[in-house]
């Protein structure tokens, strides 16, 4: 079958940048052709963070939806212009949208992503596939994580037991069995970088702790670590997914209050690294994987990676190919699946009643 070109747009919970990729896709492969990380305007980031943390008006929600639609359009335009690519060569764009709230459990289960796909489609002239998560939620699923279906697709030639761990704002694991005939397992292990970013921003005004240098200067506070690890999320059985609505400043404040006052600031940062490393390694070790492939921005935090390796000395831990682009590639591929009206193999991961065609087309 012919190979087609798709764009994927991803902006995760970290609000650190808009990842845009151009991929060539067919039923057997998804090849990365180009990628850019388009800067996330700091003003918009601050507005979204305050909307998520507090209360907001319908007008603010509508404006955020518009502003994000414009931002994603600019990000796509930037990729097309910088590589001199004609929009007519792109079959479709898969746009994840910016998650504002993810609460897929209970009577009012929902997952909310903003970034008006109509704007992206009208301004680029390219059909857009968006609203991927809500049908899964309507089918009783978590609506997340979706990366495991893509990991299964692209890592299908690896003949070992592999866990793929994506460390974004949250962290998620995909477990791929050697013989490919077992159910796909994947779920959010808990927080990834979100608390690390929040703490260094609050204390030092930096958006993240480059290579974990600051955290490395601190000591683990085991009382705080143990208190955090007793959070029920870490012992919940899968399917499960999480977001900023849970792992946020208020959560850390509660944990600090429950511990004691006066933990040196750098020790808090160090302990948060251990929380991420431990909550990831605890899950990986449950599945006896031979290999762990790390991806997402957290895979660039050399100290965090060092800690993950130290907690799993018998497992081969390495950085996945295209580690930075895999999430945006997932949404390019999901657009391909939608355009070809193919169901996505996610029900074991999300807990949805059935596998289904995900996403709506805006053209
Ligand atoms: N060199 C680095 N050192 C430490 N942390 C890094 C580095 N590069 C990226 N990160 C972390 O990765 C995060 C972005 O990861 P990303 O996968 O884009 O997450 P999301 O999907 O939530 O947007 C940053 O906010 C930061 O915490
Ligand atoms: Mg990001």
């Amino acid at each position: 079958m012919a190979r087609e070109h798709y764009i994927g747009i991803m902006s995760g919970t970290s609000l650190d940048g808009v990842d845009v990729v151009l991929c060539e896709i067919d039923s057997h492969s998804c090849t990365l052709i180009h990628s850019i990380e388009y800067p996330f305007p700091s003003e918009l980031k601050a507005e979204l963070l305050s909307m998520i943390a507090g209360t907001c008006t319908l007008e603010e929600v509508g404006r955020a939806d518009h502003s994000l639609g414009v931002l994603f359009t600019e990000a796509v335009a930037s990729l097309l212009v910088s590589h001199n690519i004609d929009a007519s060569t792109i079959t479709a764009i898969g746009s994840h949208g910016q998650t504002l709230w993810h609460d897929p459990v209970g009577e009012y289960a929902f997952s909310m992503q903003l970034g008006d796909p109509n704007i992206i489609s009208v301004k680029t002239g390219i059909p857009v596939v968006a609203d991927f998560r809500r049908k899964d939620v309507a089918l009783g699923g978590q609506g997340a994580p979706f990366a495991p279906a893509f990991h299964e697709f692209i890592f299908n030639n690896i003949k070992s037991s592999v866990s793929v761990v994506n460390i974004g704002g949250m962290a998620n694991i995909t477990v791929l069995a050697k013989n490919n005939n077992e159910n796909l397992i994947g779920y959010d292990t808990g927080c990834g970088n979100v608390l690390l970013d929040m703490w260094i921003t609050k204390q030092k005004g930096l958006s993240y702790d480059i290579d974990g240098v600051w955290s490395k200067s601190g000591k683990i506070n085991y009382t705080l670590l143990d208190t955090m690890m007793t959070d029920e999320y870490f012992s919940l059985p899968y399917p499960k997914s999480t977001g900023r609505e849970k792992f946020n400043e208020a959560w850390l404040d509660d944990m600090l209050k429950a511990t004691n006052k006066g933990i040196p600031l750098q020790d808090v940062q160090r302990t948060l690294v251990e929380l991420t490393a431990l909550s990831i390694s605890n899950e990986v070790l449950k599945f006896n994987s031979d290999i762990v492939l790390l991806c997402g921005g957290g895979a660039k935090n050399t100290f965090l990676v060092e800690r993950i390796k130290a907690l799993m000395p018998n497992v081969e831990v390495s950085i996945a190919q295209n580690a930075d682009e895999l999430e945006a590639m997932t949404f390019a591929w999901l657009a391909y699946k939608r355009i070809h009206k193919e169901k996505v193999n996610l029900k074991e991961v999300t807990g949805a009643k059935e596998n289904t065609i995900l996403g709506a087309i805006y053209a």
Side-chain angles (χ1 to χ4, degrees):
M1 197 197 267
R3 291 170 67 82
E4 298 166 325
H5 288 108
Y6 287 82
I7 283 174
I9 314 173
M10 180 69 205
S11 175
T13 42
S14 303
L15 295 158
D16 60 317
V18 182
D19 298 323
V20 187
V21 294
L22 171 60
C23 299
E24 195 169 83
I25 308 181
D26 64 17
S27 55
H28 303 293
S29 63
C30 176
T31 311
L32 179 66
I33 310 284
H34 296 300
S35 66
I36 59 159
E37 189 185 2
Y38 194 76
F40 207 103
S42 47
E43 210 170 282
L44 182 57
K45 176 176 176 176
E47 278 167 29
L48 296 174
L49 285 176
S50 93
M51 286 169 73
I52 294 167
T55 51
C56 55
T57 63
L58 288 176
E59 185 181 24
E60 285 170 324
V61 174
R63 287 185 176 194
D65 191 35
H66 180 100
S67 303
L68 287 161
V70 171
L71 175 66
F72 297 151
T73 307
E74 288 168 0
V76 168
S78 167
L79 178 131
L80 294 177
V81 168
S82 57
H83 296 286
N84 202 15
I85 293 159
D86 192 322
S88 65
T89 63
I90 311 294
T91 305
I93 295 169
S95 179
H96 171 266
Q98 181 64 55
T99 297
L100 272 265
W101 203 263
H102 179 73
D103 189 4
V105 181
E107 194 179 349
Y108 301 102
F110 74 98
S111 186
M112 180 193 271
Q113 285 77 37
L114 299 184
D116 187 0
N118 295 286
I119 295 176
I120 309 171
S121 166
V122 166
K123 295 202 177 189
T124 61
I126 303 169
V128 174
V129 185
D131 192 5
F132 289 99
R133 298 199 188 269
R134 293 197 301 166
K135 187 155 174 210
D136 186 271
V137 174
L139 284 164
Q142 292 279 323
F146 281 0
F150 183 62
H151 295 157
E152 182 183 46
F153 175 73
I154 47 157
F155 295 119
N156 65 354
N157 54 351
I158 299 180
K159 296 283 171 257
S160 312
S161 300
V162 179
S163 285
V164 185
V165 177
N166 173 41
I167 315 172
M170 302 301 140
N172 60 271
I173 184 171
T174 303
V175 184
L176 301 170
K178 199 177 290 189
N179 41 19
N180 268 340
N181 58 7
E182 285 167 35
N183 285 348
L184 180 62
I185 296 173
Y187 53 92
D188 287 352
T189 57
C191 46
N193 304 300
V194 70
L195 298 173
L196 293 166
D197 289 357
M198 186 278 293
W199 189 250
I200 197 168
T201 303
K202 187 173 169 183
Q203 306 305 342
K204 293 181 158 261
L206 301 171
S207 38
Y208 62 89
D209 183 15
I210 298 174
D211 300 335
V213 169
W214 189 42
S215 59
K216 216 171 173 171
S217 71
K219 288 201 289 280
I220 299 174
N221 182 301
Y222 283 97
T223 315
L224 176 60
L225 181 63
D226 292 347
T227 307
M228 294 192 291
M229 285 304 295
T230 58
D231 186 281
E232 60 181 12
Y233 186 83
F234 298 116
S235 48
L236 267 182
Y238 56 86
K240 59 178 177 175
S241 59
T242 190
R244 274 186 189 276
E245 355 18 77
K246 170 154 191 92
F247 290 105
N248 54 28
E249 190 172 349
W251 184 87
L252 180 58
D253 279 349
D254 286 348
M255 296 296 159
L256 288 168
K257 273 185 210 134
T259 313
N260 61 27
K261 301 256 172 353
I263 302 176
L265 302 179
Q266 68 275 18
D267 290 6
V268 174
Q269 189 76 10
R270 174 67 188 87
T271 308
L272 289 171
V273 167
E274 206 66 11
L275 172 71
T276 297
L278 187 61
S279 55
I280 288 172
S281 60
N282 277 351
E283 300 309 315
V284 168
L285 291 172
K286 286 179 185 165
F287 299 102
N288 294 319
S289 296
D290 306 319
I291 296 177
V292 172
L293 298 175
L294 301 178
C295 55
K300 290 193 281 195
N301 183 336
T302 42
F303 184 56
L304 175 62
V305 173
E306 191 182 309
R307 288 308 306 149
I308 291 172
K309 286 182 175 170
L311 291 170
M312 301 187 282
N314 298 323
V315 181
E316 189 187 319
V317 179
S318 54
I319 310 296
Q321 197 186 0
N322 301 326
D324 266 354
E325 292 88 8
L326 281 177
E327 267 222 295
M329 289 171 74
T330 301
F331 286 88
W333 178 73
L334 286 172
Y336 169 93
K337 298 286 278 181
R338 176 63 189 87
I339 294 294
H340 290 263
K341 300 191 182 69
E342 291 176 14
K343 294 180 180 180
V344 184
N345 178 26
L346 273 169
K347 68 181 164 69
E348 280 99 14
V349 170
T350 64
K353 281 190 204 74
E354 58 194 52
N355 287 327
T356 190
I357 298 170
L358 296 171
I361 301 174
Y362 297 75

